[in-house]
PDB file of all heavy atoms in Angstrom:
ATOM      1  N   GLY Y  81     -10.202 -30.180  -7.826  1.00 97.00           N
ATOM      2  CA  GLY Y  81      -9.480 -30.617  -6.648  1.00 97.00           C
ATOM      3  C   GLY Y  81      -8.334 -31.535  -6.981  1.00 97.00           C
ATOM      4  O   GLY Y  81      -8.287 -32.155  -8.046  1.00 97.00           O
ATOM      5  N   CYS Y  82      -7.417 -31.599  -6.019  1.00 98.00           N
ATOM      6  CA  CYS Y  82      -6.293 -32.524  -6.099  1.00 98.00           C
ATOM      7  C   CYS Y  82      -5.824 -32.797  -4.678  1.00 98.00           C
ATOM      8  O   CYS Y  82      -6.326 -32.194  -3.714  1.00 98.00           O
ATOM      9  CB  CYS Y  82      -5.163 -31.955  -6.962  1.00 98.00           C
ATOM     10  SG  CYS Y  82      -4.322 -30.519  -6.283  1.00 98.00           S
ATOM     11  N   ASP Y  83      -4.870 -33.682  -4.564  1.00 98.00           N
ATOM     12  CA  ASP Y  83      -4.264 -34.005  -3.276  1.00 98.00           C
ATOM     13  C   ASP Y  83      -3.416 -32.811  -2.841  1.00 98.00           C
ATOM     14  O   ASP Y  83      -2.458 -32.449  -3.524  1.00 98.00           O
ATOM     15  CB  ASP Y  83      -3.396 -35.253  -3.449  1.00 98.00           C
ATOM     16  CG  ASP Y  83      -2.656 -35.672  -2.195  1.00 98.00           C
ATOM     17  OD1 ASP Y  83      -2.621 -34.923  -1.201  1.00 98.00           O
ATOM     18  OD2 ASP Y  83      -2.086 -36.784  -2.227  1.00 98.00           O
ATOM     19  N   PRO Y  84      -3.746 -32.180  -1.704  1.00 98.00           N
ATOM     20  CA  PRO Y  84      -2.992 -30.999  -1.278  1.00 98.00           C
ATOM     21  C   PRO Y  84      -1.549 -31.300  -0.889  1.00 98.00           C
ATOM     22  O   PRO Y  84      -0.736 -30.381  -0.791  1.00 98.00           O
ATOM     23  CB  PRO Y  84      -3.787 -30.472  -0.080  1.00 98.00           C
ATOM     24  CG  PRO Y  84      -4.583 -31.617   0.405  1.00 98.00           C
ATOM     25  CD  PRO Y  84      -4.830 -32.499  -0.775  1.00 98.00           C
ATOM     26  N   GLY Y  85      -1.209 -32.558  -0.706  1.00 97.00           N
ATOM     27  CA  GLY Y  85       0.152 -32.933  -0.372  1.00 97.00           C
ATOM     28  C   GLY Y  85       1.013 -33.261  -1.577  1.00 97.00           C
ATOM     29  O   GLY Y  85       2.191 -33.598  -1.434  1.00 97.00           O
ATOM     30  N   ASN Y  86       0.456 -33.150  -2.773  1.00 98.00           N
ATOM     31  CA  ASN Y  86       1.178 -33.497  -3.993  1.00 98.00           C
ATOM     32  C   ASN Y  86       1.567 -32.213  -4.735  1.00 98.00           C
ATOM     33  O   ASN Y  86       0.733 -31.595  -5.398  1.00 98.00           O
ATOM     34  CB  ASN Y  86       0.291 -34.397  -4.869  1.00 98.00           C
ATOM     35  CG  ASN Y  86       1.008 -34.917  -6.095  1.00 98.00           C
ATOM     36  OD1 ASN Y  86       1.780 -34.208  -6.728  1.00 98.00           O
ATOM     37  ND2 ASN Y  86       0.720 -36.157  -6.444  1.00 98.00           N
ATOM     38  N   GLU Y  87       2.834 -31.827  -4.613  1.00 97.00           N
ATOM     39  CA  GLU Y  87       3.310 -30.568  -5.207  1.00 97.00           C
ATOM     40  C   GLU Y  87       3.137 -30.536  -6.731  1.00 97.00           C
ATOM     41  O   GLU Y  87       2.800 -29.497  -7.291  1.00 97.00           O
ATOM     42  CB  GLU Y  87       4.787 -30.338  -4.861  1.00 97.00           C
ATOM     43  CG  GLU Y  87       5.031 -30.082  -3.390  1.00 97.00           C
ATOM     44  CD  GLU Y  87       4.793 -28.649  -2.979  1.00 97.00           C
ATOM     45  OE1 GLU Y  87       5.208 -27.727  -3.701  1.00 97.00           O
ATOM     46  OE2 GLU Y  87       4.173 -28.448  -1.915  1.00 97.00           O
ATOM     47  N   VAL Y  88       3.367 -31.656  -7.388  1.00 98.00           N
ATOM     48  CA  VAL Y  88       3.225 -31.708  -8.848  1.00 98.00           C
ATOM     49  C   VAL Y  88       1.767 -31.454  -9.236  1.00 98.00           C
ATOM     50  O   VAL Y  88       1.475 -30.694 -10.163  1.00 98.00           O
ATOM     51  CB  VAL Y  88       3.744 -33.052  -9.414  1.00 98.00           C
ATOM     52  CG1 VAL Y  88       3.435 -33.179 -10.893  1.00 98.00           C
ATOM     53  CG2 VAL Y  88       5.241 -33.190  -9.155  1.00 98.00           C
ATOM     54  N   SER Y  89       0.839 -32.057  -8.495  1.00 98.00           N
ATOM     55  CA  SER Y  89      -0.587 -31.837  -8.768  1.00 98.00           C
ATOM     56  C   SER Y  89      -0.974 -30.387  -8.523  1.00 98.00           C
ATOM     57  O   SER Y  89      -1.752 -29.802  -9.289  1.00 98.00           O
ATOM     58  CB  SER Y  89      -1.450 -32.744  -7.881  1.00 98.00           C
ATOM     59  OG  SER Y  89      -1.228 -34.088  -8.191  1.00 98.00           O
ATOM     60  N   LEU Y  90      -0.459 -29.803  -7.454  1.00 98.00           N
ATOM     61  CA  LEU Y  90      -0.756 -28.391  -7.159  1.00 98.00           C
ATOM     62  C   LEU Y  90      -0.260 -27.489  -8.283  1.00 98.00           C
ATOM     63  O   LEU Y  90      -0.991 -26.592  -8.734  1.00 98.00           O
ATOM     64  CB  LEU Y  90      -0.116 -27.976  -5.828  1.00 98.00           C
ATOM     65  CG  LEU Y  90      -0.673 -28.626  -4.572  1.00 98.00           C
ATOM     66  CD1 LEU Y  90       0.208 -28.304  -3.368  1.00 98.00           C
ATOM     67  CD2 LEU Y  90      -2.105 -28.193  -4.321  1.00 98.00           C
ATOM     68  N   GLN Y  91       0.948 -27.721  -8.754  1.00 98.00           N
ATOM     69  CA  GLN Y  91       1.495 -26.914  -9.854  1.00 98.00           C
ATOM     70  C   GLN Y  91       0.668 -27.079 -11.119  1.00 98.00           C
ATOM     71  O   GLN Y  91       0.377 -26.103 -11.817  1.00 98.00           O
ATOM     72  CB  GLN Y  91       2.958 -27.302 -10.122  1.00 98.00           C
ATOM     73  CG  GLN Y  91       3.876 -26.882  -9.011  1.00 98.00           C
ATOM     74  CD  GLN Y  91       5.275 -27.462  -9.154  1.00 98.00           C
ATOM     75  OE1 GLN Y  91       5.515 -28.420  -9.908  1.00 98.00           O
ATOM     76  NE2 GLN Y  91       6.224 -26.905  -8.412  1.00 98.00           N
ATOM     77  N   ARG Y  92       0.273 -28.314 -11.402  1.00 98.00           N
ATOM     78  CA  ARG Y  92      -0.536 -28.577 -12.590  1.00 98.00           C
ATOM     79  C   ARG Y  92      -1.894 -27.891 -12.495  1.00 98.00           C
ATOM     80  O   ARG Y  92      -2.370 -27.290 -13.465  1.00 98.00           O
ATOM     81  CB  ARG Y  92      -0.700 -30.089 -12.772  1.00 98.00           C
ATOM     82  CG  ARG Y  92      -1.470 -30.446 -14.013  1.00 98.00           C
ATOM     83  CD  ARG Y  92      -1.444 -31.943 -14.280  1.00 98.00           C
ATOM     84  NE  ARG Y  92      -2.504 -32.244 -15.214  1.00 98.00           N
ATOM     85  CZ  ARG Y  92      -3.444 -33.144 -15.024  1.00 98.00           C
ATOM     86  NH1 ARG Y  92      -3.431 -33.905 -13.939  1.00 98.00           N
ATOM     87  NH2 ARG Y  92      -4.380 -33.331 -15.914  1.00 98.00           N
ATOM     88  N   LEU Y  93      -2.522 -27.959 -11.312  1.00 98.00           N
ATOM     89  CA  LEU Y  93      -3.826 -27.323 -11.116  1.00 98.00           C
ATOM     90  C   LEU Y  93      -3.725 -25.819 -11.323  1.00 98.00           C
ATOM     91  O   LEU Y  93      -4.565 -25.217 -12.009  1.00 98.00           O
ATOM     92  CB  LEU Y  93      -4.359 -27.644  -9.714  1.00 98.00           C
ATOM     93  CG  LEU Y  93      -5.704 -27.024  -9.349  1.00 98.00           C
ATOM     94  CD1 LEU Y  93      -6.803 -27.516 -10.275  1.00 98.00           C
ATOM     95  CD2 LEU Y  93      -6.044 -27.347  -7.907  1.00 98.00           C
ATOM     96  N   LEU Y  94      -2.709 -25.187 -10.743  1.00 98.00           N
ATOM     97  CA  LEU Y  94      -2.526 -23.746 -10.926  1.00 98.00           C
ATOM     98  C   LEU Y  94      -2.312 -23.409 -12.399  1.00 98.00           C
ATOM     99  O   LEU Y  94      -2.844 -22.408 -12.895  1.00 98.00           O
ATOM    100  CB  LEU Y  94      -1.358 -23.251 -10.073  1.00 98.00           C
ATOM    101  CG  LEU Y  94      -1.603 -23.266  -8.563  1.00 98.00           C
ATOM    102  CD1 LEU Y  94      -0.303 -23.054  -7.803  1.00 98.00           C
ATOM    103  CD2 LEU Y  94      -2.642 -22.233  -8.168  1.00 98.00           C
ATOM    104  N   ALA Y  95      -1.563 -24.236 -13.112  1.00 97.00           N
ATOM    105  CA  ALA Y  95      -1.324 -23.996 -14.540  1.00 97.00           C
ATOM    106  C   ALA Y  95      -2.604 -24.136 -15.351  1.00 97.00           C
ATOM    107  O   ALA Y  95      -2.893 -23.308 -16.221  1.00 97.00           O
ATOM    108  CB  ALA Y  95      -0.247 -24.950 -15.059  1.00 97.00           C
ATOM    109  N   ILE Y  96      -3.394 -25.171 -15.059  1.00 97.00           N
ATOM    110  CA  ILE Y  96      -4.653 -25.384 -15.784  1.00 97.00           C
ATOM    111  C   ILE Y  96      -5.583 -24.189 -15.596  1.00 97.00           C
ATOM    112  O   ILE Y  96      -6.220 -23.718 -16.527  1.00 97.00           O
ATOM    113  CB  ILE Y  96      -5.337 -26.689 -15.310  1.00 97.00           C
ATOM    114  CG1 ILE Y  96      -4.580 -27.907 -15.830  1.00 97.00           C
ATOM    115  CG2 ILE Y  96      -6.797 -26.736 -15.749  1.00 97.00           C
ATOM    116  CD1 ILE Y  96      -5.028 -29.229 -15.208  1.00 97.00           C
ATOM    117  N   LYS Y  97      -5.657 -23.691 -14.369  1.00 97.00           N
ATOM    118  CA  LYS Y  97      -6.534 -22.552 -14.078  1.00 97.00           C
ATOM    119  C   LYS Y  97      -5.943 -21.215 -14.523  1.00 97.00           C
ATOM    120  O   LYS Y  97      -6.634 -20.220 -14.577  1.00 97.00           O
ATOM    121  CB  LYS Y  97      -6.807 -22.455 -12.571  1.00 97.00           C
ATOM    122  CG  LYS Y  97      -7.881 -23.393 -12.094  1.00 97.00           C
ATOM    123  CD  LYS Y  97      -8.201 -23.150 -10.638  1.00 97.00           C
ATOM    124  CE  LYS Y  97      -8.639 -21.771 -10.272  1.00 97.00           C
ATOM    125  NZ  LYS Y  97     -10.047 -21.452 -10.481  1.00 97.00           N
ATOM    126  N   GLN Y  98      -4.634 -21.212 -14.815  1.00 97.00           N
ATOM    127  CA  GLN Y  98      -3.903 -19.979 -15.103  1.00 97.00           C
ATOM    128  C   GLN Y  98      -4.011 -19.033 -13.903  1.00 97.00           C
ATOM    129  O   GLN Y  98      -4.224 -17.837 -14.038  1.00 97.00           O
ATOM    130  CB  GLN Y  98      -4.419 -19.332 -16.393  1.00 97.00           C
ATOM    131  CG  GLN Y  98      -4.289 -20.239 -17.586  1.00 97.00           C
ATOM    132  CD  GLN Y  98      -5.046 -19.779 -18.810  1.00 97.00           C
ATOM    133  OE1 GLN Y  98      -5.678 -18.734 -18.832  1.00 97.00           O
ATOM    134  NE2 GLN Y  98      -5.000 -20.586 -19.858  1.00 97.00           N
ATOM    135  N   ARG Y  99      -3.868 -19.619 -12.708  1.00 96.00           N
ATOM    136  CA  ARG Y  99      -4.032 -18.896 -11.446  1.00 96.00           C
ATOM    137  C   ARG Y  99      -2.678 -18.503 -10.872  1.00 96.00           C
ATOM    138  O   ARG Y  99      -1.753 -19.315 -10.826  1.00 96.00           O
ATOM    139  CB  ARG Y  99      -4.777 -19.779 -10.446  1.00 96.00           C
ATOM    140  CG  ARG Y  99      -5.057 -19.114  -9.112  1.00 96.00           C
ATOM    141  CD  ARG Y  99      -5.865 -20.043  -8.217  1.00 96.00           C
ATOM    142  NE  ARG Y  99      -6.031 -19.521  -6.882  1.00 96.00           N
ATOM    143  CZ  ARG Y  99      -7.036 -18.723  -6.506  1.00 96.00           C
ATOM    144  NH1 ARG Y  99      -7.965 -18.374  -7.373  1.00 96.00           N
ATOM    145  NH2 ARG Y  99      -7.123 -18.290  -5.262  1.00 96.00           N
ATOM    146  N   ASP Y 100      -2.590 -17.289 -10.396  1.00 95.00           N
ATOM    147  CA  ASP Y 100      -1.403 -16.786  -9.728  1.00 95.00           C
ATOM    148  C   ASP Y 100      -1.181 -17.578  -8.443  1.00 95.00           C
ATOM    149  O   ASP Y 100      -2.064 -17.620  -7.575  1.00 95.00           O
ATOM    150  CB  ASP Y 100      -1.608 -15.300  -9.422  1.00 95.00           C
ATOM    151  CG  ASP Y 100      -0.478 -14.665  -8.638  1.00 95.00           C
ATOM    152  OD1 ASP Y 100       0.506 -15.351  -8.291  1.00 95.00           O
ATOM    153  OD2 ASP Y 100      -0.579 -13.460  -8.360  1.00 95.00           O
ATOM    154  N   ALA Y 101      -0.022 -18.213  -8.304  1.00 95.00           N
ATOM    155  CA  ALA Y 101       0.273 -19.031  -7.126  1.00 95.00           C
ATOM    156  C   ALA Y 101       0.277 -18.213  -5.845  1.00 95.00           C
ATOM    157  O   ALA Y 101       0.082 -18.759  -4.761  1.00 95.00           O
ATOM    158  CB  ALA Y 101       1.609 -19.741  -7.306  1.00 95.00           C
ATOM    159  N   GLY Y 102       0.444 -16.911  -5.935  1.00 96.00           N
ATOM    160  CA  GLY Y 102       0.456 -16.058  -4.759  1.00 96.00           C
ATOM    161  C   GLY Y 102      -0.901 -15.912  -4.094  1.00 96.00           C
ATOM    162  O   GLY Y 102      -0.982 -15.495  -2.930  1.00 96.00           O
ATOM    163  N   LYS Y 103      -1.967 -16.273  -4.798  1.00 96.00           N
ATOM    164  CA  LYS Y 103      -3.317 -16.140  -4.230  1.00 96.00           C
ATOM    165  C   LYS Y 103      -3.643 -17.226  -3.221  1.00 96.00           C
ATOM    166  O   LYS Y 103      -4.482 -17.033  -2.350  1.00 96.00           O
ATOM    167  CB  LYS Y 103      -4.368 -16.158  -5.345  1.00 96.00           C
ATOM    168  CG  LYS Y 103      -4.351 -14.923  -6.215  1.00 96.00           C
ATOM    169  CD  LYS Y 103      -5.460 -14.988  -7.246  1.00 96.00           C
ATOM    170  CE  LYS Y 103      -5.516 -13.723  -8.071  1.00 96.00           C
ATOM    171  NZ  LYS Y 103      -6.630 -13.756  -9.013  1.00 96.00           N
ATOM    172  N   GLY Y 104      -3.042 -18.389  -3.360  1.00 96.00           N
ATOM    173  CA  GLY Y 104      -3.354 -19.504  -2.483  1.00 96.00           C
ATOM    174  C   GLY Y 104      -4.584 -20.263  -2.950  1.00 96.00           C
ATOM    175  O   GLY Y 104      -5.261 -19.864  -3.901  1.00 96.00           O
ATOM    176  N   LEU Y 105      -4.869 -21.361  -2.268  1.00 97.00           N
ATOM    177  CA  LEU Y 105      -5.979 -22.244  -2.610  1.00 97.00           C
ATOM    178  C   LEU Y 105      -6.787 -22.566  -1.356  1.00 97.00           C
ATOM    179  O   LEU Y 105      -6.320 -22.333  -0.242  1.00 97.00           O
ATOM    180  CB  LEU Y 105      -5.442 -23.540  -3.228  1.00 97.00           C
ATOM    181  CG  LEU Y 105      -4.722 -23.384  -4.571  1.00 97.00           C
ATOM    182  CD1 LEU Y 105      -3.888 -24.610  -4.880  1.00 97.00           C
ATOM    183  CD2 LEU Y 105      -5.731 -23.111  -5.678  1.00 97.00           C
ATOM    184  N   ILE Y 106      -7.969 -23.108  -1.544  1.00 97.00           N
ATOM    185  CA  ILE Y 106      -8.836 -23.505  -0.433  1.00 97.00           C
ATOM    186  C   ILE Y 106      -8.753 -25.019  -0.266  1.00 97.00           C
ATOM    187  O   ILE Y 106      -8.678 -25.755  -1.254  1.00 97.00           O
ATOM    188  CB  ILE Y 106     -10.293 -23.082  -0.715  1.00 97.00           C
ATOM    189  CG1 ILE Y 106     -10.422 -21.558  -0.718  1.00 97.00           C
ATOM    190  CG2 ILE Y 106     -11.260 -23.696   0.302  1.00 97.00           C
ATOM    191  CD1 ILE Y 106     -11.800 -21.054  -1.124  1.00 97.00           C
ATOM    192  N   LEU Y 107      -8.807 -25.462   0.984  1.00 98.00           N
ATOM    193  CA  LEU Y 107      -8.966 -26.888   1.274  1.00 98.00           C
ATOM    194  C   LEU Y 107     -10.372 -27.105   1.812  1.00 98.00           C
ATOM    195  O   LEU Y 107     -10.853 -26.319   2.631  1.00 98.00           O
ATOM    196  CB  LEU Y 107      -7.979 -27.365   2.337  1.00 98.00           C
ATOM    197  CG  LEU Y 107      -6.503 -27.352   2.003  1.00 98.00           C
ATOM    198  CD1 LEU Y 107      -5.715 -28.015   3.133  1.00 98.00           C
ATOM    199  CD2 LEU Y 107      -6.217 -28.042   0.688  1.00 98.00           C
ATOM    200  N   ILE Y 108     -11.013 -28.174   1.350  1.00 98.00           N
ATOM    201  CA  ILE Y 108     -12.286 -28.601   1.937  1.00 98.00           C
ATOM    202  C   ILE Y 108     -12.067 -29.954   2.591  1.00 98.00           C
ATOM    203  O   ILE Y 108     -11.128 -30.676   2.246  1.00 98.00           O
ATOM    204  CB  ILE Y 108     -13.444 -28.685   0.918  1.00 98.00           C
ATOM    205  CG1 ILE Y 108     -13.157 -29.730  -0.173  1.00 98.00           C
ATOM    206  CG2 ILE Y 108     -13.759 -27.312   0.343  1.00 98.00           C
ATOM    207  CD1 ILE Y 108     -14.375 -30.102  -0.990  1.00 98.00           C
ATOM    208  N   ALA Y 109     -12.951 -30.281   3.517  1.00 98.00           N
ATOM    209  CA  ALA Y 109     -12.852 -31.556   4.214  1.00 98.00           C
ATOM    210  C   ALA Y 109     -14.233 -31.997   4.651  1.00 98.00           C
ATOM    211  O   ALA Y 109     -15.187 -31.203   4.662  1.00 98.00           O
ATOM    212  CB  ALA Y 109     -11.925 -31.416   5.422  1.00 98.00           C
ATOM    213  N   ALA Y 110     -14.320 -33.265   5.035  1.00 98.00           N
ATOM    214  CA  ALA Y 110     -15.568 -33.823   5.561  1.00 98.00           C
ATOM    215  C   ALA Y 110     -15.700 -33.559   7.057  1.00 98.00           C
ATOM    216  O   ALA Y 110     -16.802 -33.517   7.582  1.00 98.00           O
ATOM    217  CB  ALA Y 110     -15.643 -35.317   5.279  1.00 98.00           C
ATOM    218  N   ASP Y 111     -14.544 -33.392   7.732  1.00 97.00           N
ATOM    219  CA  ASP Y 111     -14.556 -33.112   9.169  1.00 97.00           C
ATOM    220  C   ASP Y 111     -13.255 -32.404   9.537  1.00 97.00           C
ATOM    221  O   ASP Y 111     -12.298 -32.388   8.761  1.00 97.00           O
ATOM    222  CB  ASP Y 111     -14.742 -34.394   9.991  1.00 97.00           C
ATOM    223  CG  ASP Y 111     -13.637 -35.410   9.750  1.00 97.00           C
ATOM    224  OD1 ASP Y 111     -12.449 -35.101   9.993  1.00 97.00           O
ATOM    225  OD2 ASP Y 111     -13.962 -36.535   9.305  1.00 97.00           O
ATOM    226  N   PHE Y 112     -13.230 -31.831  10.739  1.00 97.00           N
ATOM    227  CA  PHE Y 112     -12.075 -31.034  11.152  1.00 97.00           C
ATOM    228  C   PHE Y 112     -10.800 -31.869  11.235  1.00 97.00           C
ATOM    229  O   PHE Y 112      -9.711 -31.369  10.959  1.00 97.00           O
ATOM    230  CB  PHE Y 112     -12.349 -30.338  12.489  1.00 97.00           C
ATOM    231  CG  PHE Y 112     -11.230 -29.423  12.889  1.00 97.00           C
ATOM    232  CD1 PHE Y 112     -11.018 -28.230  12.206  1.00 97.00           C
ATOM    233  CD2 PHE Y 112     -10.376 -29.756  13.921  1.00 97.00           C
ATOM    234  CE1 PHE Y 112      -9.967 -27.389  12.554  1.00 97.00           C
ATOM    235  CE2 PHE Y 112      -9.321 -28.925  14.279  1.00 97.00           C
ATOM    236  CZ  PHE Y 112      -9.124 -27.729  13.597  1.00 97.00           C
ATOM    237  N   GLY Y 113     -10.919 -33.122  11.604  1.00 97.00           N
ATOM    238  CA  GLY Y 113      -9.742 -33.975  11.696  1.00 97.00           C
ATOM    239  C   GLY Y 113      -8.954 -34.033  10.399  1.00 97.00           C
ATOM    240  O   GLY Y 113      -7.724 -34.183  10.412  1.00 97.00           O
ATOM    241  N   GLN Y 114      -9.635 -33.894   9.264  1.00 98.00           N
ATOM    242  CA  GLN Y 114      -8.955 -33.924   7.975  1.00 98.00           C
ATOM    243  C   GLN Y 114      -8.159 -32.642   7.713  1.00 98.00           C
ATOM    244  O   GLN Y 114      -7.263 -32.633   6.879  1.00 98.00           O
ATOM    245  CB  GLN Y 114      -9.957 -34.150   6.843  1.00 98.00           C
ATOM    246  CG  GLN Y 114     -10.598 -35.521   6.892  1.00 98.00           C
ATOM    247  CD  GLN Y 114     -11.566 -35.742   5.747  1.00 98.00           C
ATOM    248  OE1 GLN Y 114     -12.134 -34.813   5.172  1.00 98.00           O
ATOM    249  NE2 GLN Y 114     -11.766 -37.009   5.403  1.00 98.00           N
ATOM    250  N   LEU Y 115      -8.489 -31.572   8.416  1.00 98.00           N
ATOM    251  CA  LEU Y 115      -7.789 -30.299   8.227  1.00 98.00           C
ATOM    252  C   LEU Y 115      -6.651 -30.095   9.218  1.00 98.00           C
ATOM    253  O   LEU Y 115      -5.730 -29.318   8.967  1.00 98.00           O
ATOM    254  CB  LEU Y 115      -8.774 -29.129   8.380  1.00 98.00           C
ATOM    255  CG  LEU Y 115      -9.865 -29.017   7.324  1.00 98.00           C
ATOM    256  CD1 LEU Y 115     -10.864 -27.940   7.720  1.00 98.00           C
ATOM    257  CD2 LEU Y 115      -9.264 -28.736   5.952  1.00 98.00           C
ATOM    258  N   ALA Y 116      -6.703 -30.773  10.352  1.00 94.00           N
ATOM    259  CA  ALA Y 116      -5.805 -30.494  11.475  1.00 94.00           C
ATOM    260  C   ALA Y 116      -4.326 -30.525  11.100  1.00 94.00           C
ATOM    261  O   ALA Y 116      -3.551 -29.692  11.577  1.00 94.00           O
ATOM    262  CB  ALA Y 116      -6.092 -31.462  12.622  1.00 94.00           C
ATOM    263  N   ARG Y 117      -3.922 -31.432  10.235  1.00 95.00           N
ATOM    264  CA  ARG Y 117      -2.489 -31.542   9.892  1.00 95.00           C
ATOM    265  C   ARG Y 117      -1.956 -30.312   9.159  1.00 95.00           C
ATOM    266  O   ARG Y 117      -0.751 -30.099   9.077  1.00 95.00           O
ATOM    267  CB  ARG Y 117      -2.216 -32.797   9.082  1.00 95.00           C
ATOM    268  CG  ARG Y 117      -2.704 -32.726   7.648  1.00 95.00           C
ATOM    269  CD  ARG Y 117      -2.299 -33.935   6.847  1.00 95.00           C
ATOM    270  NE  ARG Y 117      -1.034 -33.698   6.184  1.00 95.00           N
ATOM    271  CZ  ARG Y 117      -0.697 -34.283   5.049  1.00 95.00           C
ATOM    272  NH1 ARG Y 117      -1.480 -35.154   4.477  1.00 95.00           N
ATOM    273  NH2 ARG Y 117       0.461 -34.014   4.497  1.00 95.00           N
ATOM    274  N   TRP Y 118      -2.856 -29.504   8.616  1.00 97.00           N
ATOM    275  CA  TRP Y 118      -2.464 -28.323   7.842  1.00 97.00           C
ATOM    276  C   TRP Y 118      -2.464 -27.040   8.669  1.00 97.00           C
ATOM    277  O   TRP Y 118      -1.901 -26.039   8.244  1.00 97.00           O
ATOM    278  CB  TRP Y 118      -3.415 -28.143   6.652  1.00 97.00           C
ATOM    279  CG  TRP Y 118      -3.536 -29.375   5.812  1.00 97.00           C
ATOM    280  CD1 TRP Y 118      -4.528 -30.317   5.866  1.00 97.00           C
ATOM    281  CD2 TRP Y 118      -2.635 -29.829   4.811  1.00 97.00           C
ATOM    282  NE1 TRP Y 118      -4.284 -31.318   4.965  1.00 97.00           N
ATOM    283  CE2 TRP Y 118      -3.139 -31.035   4.293  1.00 97.00           C
ATOM    284  CE3 TRP Y 118      -1.441 -29.316   4.289  1.00 97.00           C
ATOM    285  CZ2 TRP Y 118      -2.495 -31.749   3.291  1.00 97.00           C
ATOM    286  CZ3 TRP Y 118      -0.806 -30.022   3.286  1.00 97.00           C
ATOM    287  CH2 TRP Y 118      -1.326 -31.225   2.801  1.00 97.00           C
ATOM    288  N   LEU Y 119      -3.121 -27.072   9.820  1.00 98.00           N
ATOM    289  CA  LEU Y 119      -3.420 -25.846  10.561  1.00 98.00           C
ATOM    290  C   LEU Y 119      -2.621 -25.712  11.848  1.00 98.00           C
ATOM    291  O   LEU Y 119      -2.436 -26.689  12.579  1.00 98.00           O
ATOM    292  CB  LEU Y 119      -4.918 -25.809  10.899  1.00 98.00           C
ATOM    293  CG  LEU Y 119      -5.857 -25.963   9.705  1.00 98.00           C
ATOM    294  CD1 LEU Y 119      -7.306 -25.983  10.177  1.00 98.00           C
ATOM    295  CD2 LEU Y 119      -5.620 -24.867   8.672  1.00 98.00           C
ATOM    296  N   ALA Y 120      -2.212 -24.480  12.147  1.00 97.00           N
ATOM    297  CA  ALA Y 120      -1.537 -24.190  13.409  1.00 97.00           C
ATOM    298  C   ALA Y 120      -2.560 -24.207  14.539  1.00 97.00           C
ATOM    299  O   ALA Y 120      -3.753 -23.959  14.315  1.00 97.00           O
ATOM    300  CB  ALA Y 120      -0.852 -22.821  13.328  1.00 97.00           C
ATOM    301  N   GLU Y 121      -2.088 -24.502  15.733  1.00 95.00           N
ATOM    302  CA  GLU Y 121      -2.957 -24.454  16.916  1.00 95.00           C
ATOM    303  C   GLU Y 121      -3.340 -23.005  17.187  1.00 95.00           C
ATOM    304  O   GLU Y 121      -2.513 -22.098  17.049  1.00 95.00           O
ATOM    305  CB  GLU Y 121      -2.211 -25.017  18.131  1.00 95.00           C
ATOM    306  CG  GLU Y 121      -1.912 -26.498  18.033  1.00 95.00           C
ATOM    307  CD  GLU Y 121      -3.149 -27.367  18.127  1.00 95.00           C
ATOM    308  OE1 GLU Y 121      -4.079 -27.022  18.886  1.00 95.00           O
ATOM    309  OE2 GLU Y 121      -3.192 -28.389  17.420  1.00 95.00           O
ATOM    310  N   ILE Y 122      -4.607 -22.803  17.551  1.00 96.00           N
ATOM    311  CA  ILE Y 122      -5.069 -21.468  17.931  1.00 96.00           C
ATOM    312  C   ILE Y 122      -5.851 -21.578  19.231  1.00 96.00           C
ATOM    313  O   ILE Y 122      -6.121 -22.690  19.701  1.00 96.00           O
ATOM    314  CB  ILE Y 122      -5.932 -20.817  16.812  1.00 96.00           C
ATOM    315  CG1 ILE Y 122      -7.182 -21.649  16.525  1.00 96.00           C
ATOM    316  CG2 ILE Y 122      -5.111 -20.594  15.546  1.00 96.00           C
ATOM    317  CD1 ILE Y 122      -8.171 -20.982  15.572  1.00 96.00           C
ATOM    318  N   ASP Y 123      -6.213 -20.442  19.774  1.00 96.00           N
ATOM    319  CA  ASP Y 123      -6.976 -20.405  21.018  1.00 96.00           C
ATOM    320  C   ASP Y 123      -8.220 -21.285  20.877  1.00 96.00           C
ATOM    321  O   ASP Y 123      -8.954 -21.162  19.892  1.00 96.00           O
ATOM    322  CB  ASP Y 123      -7.367 -18.956  21.315  1.00 96.00           C
ATOM    323  CG  ASP Y 123      -8.178 -18.825  22.572  1.00 96.00           C
ATOM    324  OD1 ASP Y 123      -9.428 -18.953  22.469  1.00 96.00           O
ATOM    325  OD2 ASP Y 123      -7.585 -18.605  23.633  1.00 96.00           O
ATOM    326  N   PRO Y 124      -8.480 -22.173  21.837  1.00 96.00           N
ATOM    327  CA  PRO Y 124      -9.629 -23.085  21.728  1.00 96.00           C
ATOM    328  C   PRO Y 124     -10.976 -22.369  21.555  1.00 96.00           C
ATOM    329  O   PRO Y 124     -11.835 -22.866  20.830  1.00 96.00           O
ATOM    330  CB  PRO Y 124      -9.588 -23.878  23.031  1.00 96.00           C
ATOM    331  CG  PRO Y 124      -8.157 -23.842  23.448  1.00 96.00           C
ATOM    332  CD  PRO Y 124      -7.647 -22.502  23.004  1.00 96.00           C
ATOM    333  N   ALA Y 125     -11.157 -21.221  22.155  1.00 95.00           N
ATOM    334  CA  ALA Y 125     -12.425 -20.489  22.005  1.00 95.00           C
ATOM    335  C   ALA Y 125     -12.589 -19.986  20.577  1.00 95.00           C
ATOM    336  O   ALA Y 125     -13.696 -20.015  20.014  1.00 95.00           O
ATOM    337  CB  ALA Y 125     -12.497 -19.328  22.996  1.00 95.00           C
TER     338      ALA Y 125
END
């Protein structure tokens, strides 16, 4: 893991893993509030 807001860390993590940047990454959180800033609004249901 790294700080998802730190572009240098993201690039370094992808390089360490030798992962194709086109695949994307997963974010984990302790609660939904920690994810909200990253996510678009969707239907409440």
Side-chain angles (χ1 to χ4, degrees):
C82 67
D83 178 349
N86 186 321
E87 293 277 317
V88 173
S89 296
L90 293 170
Q91 291 170 344
R92 183 172 163 234
L93 179 62
L94 291 168
I96 288 169
K97 279 186 58 83
Q98 301 167 2
R99 182 177 173 89
D100 176 359
K103 290 183 176 183
L105 295 163
I106 293 174
L107 294 187
I108 62 166
D111 60 59
F112 185 71
Q114 294 181 335
L115 294 172
R117 73 175 268 208
W118 307 98
L119 305 177
E121 293 291 324
I122 61 172
D123 179 272

